[in-house]
Amino acid sequence: MNAIISASELASALAGENPPVLLDVRWQLSLAKAAGEPPFDGRAEYAAGHIPGAVFVDLDRELAGKAGERGRHPLPGLAEFGAVMRRAGVSSGTPVVVYDGGQGWAAARAWWMLRWTGHPDVRVLDGGLPSWEGPLSQEIPSPAEGDFQPVPGAGLLDADGAAALARSGVLFDARAAERYRGDVEPIDRVGGHIPGAISAPTTENVTTDGRFLPAEELRARFKALGAAEDTEVGVYCGSGVSGAHEVLALAVAGIPAALYVGSWSEWSSDPERPVAVGADPQ
């Protein structure tokens, strides 16, 4: 099953016999608070207009636990996540489509969490809300309670697993190259990367309108970076959000990959963990 869906395909699916549950996960990584500006309000954006029938899901409060030693966006409790999904109408036998404001990171986080916990049919709207040409609604839906029960599966890395994979397979760093090198670090304690990790900014997986590159181009990109057919692949980023977007890009390319959710925000919080700087992985 393709991990992404176009706006035209979504419109057809919504008009079909088994329409998908729609999740709106608009979110932005924002430094506005530090600059004294009001932070991005995804719920307000949703209330102003969303794809008809979509249910808002708050990434910071519902797709992540409390920030701390496990990183800025650690996984929430399974029970809490399951309750959120069921309230949104998610059932195991119903397809789910997730979208955000166009960047794709937040939608990919929801996609990854549902896939990791066993949902068999989840896709991300390619290009997000800006790609949608249909009407928008301000009506807040009240979906019937779903029956989804999350059961964690494979594809999750912890700090030790990420460090080991950087030696035994391929560990991609999905952040901007300047953060990988340690030239700048606007958020976390120190700059740099996990020793052995390969710089692979997820922004290079999409076109200027936020849509993913064709699958064959993504396969060629990841192969050139070391992701051969028999190679175990993992991804991390700053806090497990843009990294999910790279896992999604790898899925589009037909390459399975695990996600280190704690990512650099967890890794760099421990001064005992090694840090590499510069363009060289080591």
Side-chain angles (χ1 to χ4, degrees):
M1 182 190 71
N2 198 348
I4 57 176
I5 185 172
S6 69
S8 60
E9 290 171 332
L10 175 58
S12 296
L14 290 171
E17 296 182 357
N18 187 28
V21 171
L22 274 178
L23 304 181
D24 182 314
V25 197
R26 273 179 273 182
W27 171 89
Q28 287 181 11
L29 175 63
S30 175
L31 302 179
K33 187 175 181 180
E37 301 172 7
F40 176 81
D41 189 340
R43 191 176 295 277
E45 294 288 325
Y46 166 82
H50 51 267
I51 298 176
V55 177
F56 181 73
V57 176
D58 189 312
L59 186 148
D60 287 320
R61 294 177 175 84
E62 298 176 321
L63 299 182
K66 185 177 180 180
E69 292 183 355
R70 295 185 300 136
R72 285 192 308 280
H73 290 105
L75 290 175
L78 279 179
E80 291 79 5
F81 173 64
V84 167
M85 292 296 102
R86 290 190 295 274
R87 284 198 302 271
V90 175
S91 292
S92 296
T94 303
V96 178
V97 172
V98 191
Y99 71 89
D100 58 23
Q103 187 180 45
W105 295 5
R109 169 74 175 222
W111 167 86
W112 179 84
M113 289 186 65
L114 280 164
R115 294 293 294 149
W116 173 65
T117 54
H119 198 288
D121 190 350
V122 190
R123 287 179 285 177
V124 168
L125 176 58
D126 195 21
L129 187 61
S131 71
W132 178 253
E133 297 181 352
L136 297 180
S137 172
Q138 294 181 341
E139 181 180 350
I140 308 301
S142 299
E145 183 90 359
D147 64 14
F148 180 65
Q149 297 290 338
V151 178
L156 176 65
L157 293 171
D158 60 11
D160 291 340
L165 186 56
R167 297 188 297 270
S168 65
V170 171
L171 180 66
F172 288 136
D173 185 319
R175 299 173 300 160
E178 58 268 25
R179 290 185 69 192
Y180 171 88
R181 295 191 300 266
D183 298 346
V184 298
E185 182 45 64
I187 307 173
D188 294 313
R189 187 182 66 85
V190 296
H193 58 269
I194 297 173
I198 305 297
S199 179
T202 199
T203 51
E204 297 179 14
N205 294 320
V206 296
T207 61
T208 54
D209 63 3
R211 289 177 171 87
F212 281 102
L213 297 172
E216 59 271 19
E217 292 186 30
L218 290 171
R219 276 193 294 272
R221 181 193 185 214
F222 291 124
K223 184 177 180 180
L225 291 170
E229 290 184 5
D230 58 348
T231 305
E232 187 177 359
V233 178
V235 180
Y236 75 96
C237 58
S239 63
V241 179
S242 66
H245 188 260
E246 183 125 299
V247 173
L248 176 57
L250 283 154
V252 172
I255 302 170
L259 177 65
Y260 172 27
V261 173
S263 287
W264 190 247
S265 60
E266 178 187 41
W267 183 277
S268 64
S269 69
D270 184 349
E272 297 298 317
R273 294 193 184 105
V275 171
V277 294
D280 190 310
Q282 302 302 327

